[in-house]
């Protein structure tokens, strides 16, 4: 399992705690930055992480910003990406079991390092339950396909 990891300046320190956990757990990861608390725009980092997941280079992504909201909004604009903003372990587990989430997002101004590591661990240890949940995800995929079709039609009408 390889994890794509990224944060903006606000999430940098919490990302370092996640890196520490991943190292200790001997989990493979690729860090897409940032490497300091110098101000950046969170969509730039989110896109890099999400591209690695979409390309299959990494199985999961973890994105951290101040609230986790900007990273979540950006990540979920991408086809096939299911990003879940989690602040406790139960939601993180369900995000995998029910939603087959492939990106975990967290807010560094919302949770501390201990809780964040719990959240990451729950997310990574859980697996998708399938069954009725798969049927629901198919409906989400259908919405994505319809959006692609709408864009094509829109382009043809110009
Ligand atoms: C940066 O100040 C902050 O806006 C960002 O980290 C994030 O919380 C946005 O959603």
């Amino acid at each position: 399992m390889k994890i794509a990891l990224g944060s903006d300046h606000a999430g940098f320190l919490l990302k370092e705690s996640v890196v520490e956990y991943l190292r200790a757990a001997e989990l493979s990861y690729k860090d897409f930055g940032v490497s300091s608390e110098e101000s950046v725009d969170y969509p730039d980092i989110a896109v890099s992480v999400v591209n690695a997941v979409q390309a299959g280079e990494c199985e999961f992504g973890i994105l951290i910003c101040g609230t986790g909201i900007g990273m979540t909004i950006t990540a979920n604009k991408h086809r096939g990406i299911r990003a879940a903003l989690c602040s406790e372990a139960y939601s993180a587990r369900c995000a995998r079991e029910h939603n087959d989430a492939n990106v975990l997002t967290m807010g560094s101004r919302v949770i501390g390092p201990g809780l964040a590591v719990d959240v990451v661990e729950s997310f990574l240890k859980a697996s998708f339950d399938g069954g009725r949940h798969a049927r629901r995800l198919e409906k989400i995929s259908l919405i994505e396909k319809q959006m692609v079709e709408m864009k094509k039609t829109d382009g043809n009408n110009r």
Side-chain angles (χ1 to χ4, degrees):
M1 178 199 302
K2 191 167 178 184
I3 297 145
L5 195 58
S7 76
D8 71 354
H9 53 288
F12 169 65
L13 289 177
L14 191 60
K15 177 166 68 67
E16 292 306 284
S17 300
V18 172
V19 163
E20 212 174 287
Y21 162 75
L22 295 175
R23 278 197 186 139
E26 297 183 353
L27 290 167
S28 157
Y29 67 91
K30 183 168 177 183
D31 191 345
F32 287 86
V34 294
S35 52
S36 78
E37 290 184 279
E38 192 180 325
S39 184
V40 294
D41 298 331
Y42 58 81
D44 298 336
I45 310 297
V47 167
S48 304
V49 165
V50 156
N51 284 346
V53 175
Q54 281 182 314
E57 185 196 343
C58 294
E59 192 177 348
F60 298 112
I62 299 177
L63 284 166
I64 306 169
C65 62
T67 58
I69 296 171
M71 290 297 198
T72 311
I73 292 172
T74 311
N76 280 323
K77 295 284 179 201
H78 295 77
R79 198 168 178 190
I81 294 298
R82 293 173 298 279
L85 175 56
C86 299
S87 302
E88 31 71 34
Y90 173 73
S91 298
R93 176 163 65 82
C94 289
R96 291 284 310 118
E97 291 178 350
H98 293 198
N99 312 108
D100 200 16
N102 46 14
V103 175
L104 169 67
T105 54
M106 296 184 289
S108 63
R109 295 173 184 158
V110 181
I111 58 174
L115 186 49
V117 164
D118 271 0
V119 167
V120 170
E121 195 168 35
S122 298
F123 183 87
L124 295 178
K125 280 188 175 165
S127 49
F128 183 47
D129 279 349
R132 67 188 189 281
H133 302 298
R135 185 182 70 235
R136 292 160 188 167
L137 293 190
E138 277 163 25
K139 293 189 177 185
I140 296 175
S141 298
L142 193 62
I143 296 169
E144 286 181 331
K145 277 183 201 143
Q146 284 166 348
M147 285 170 73
V148 171
E149 287 309 313
M150 275 166 66
K151 269 186 205 156
K152 275 190 205 157
T153 313
D154 191 37
N156 291 339
N157 288 340
R158 277 166 203 268

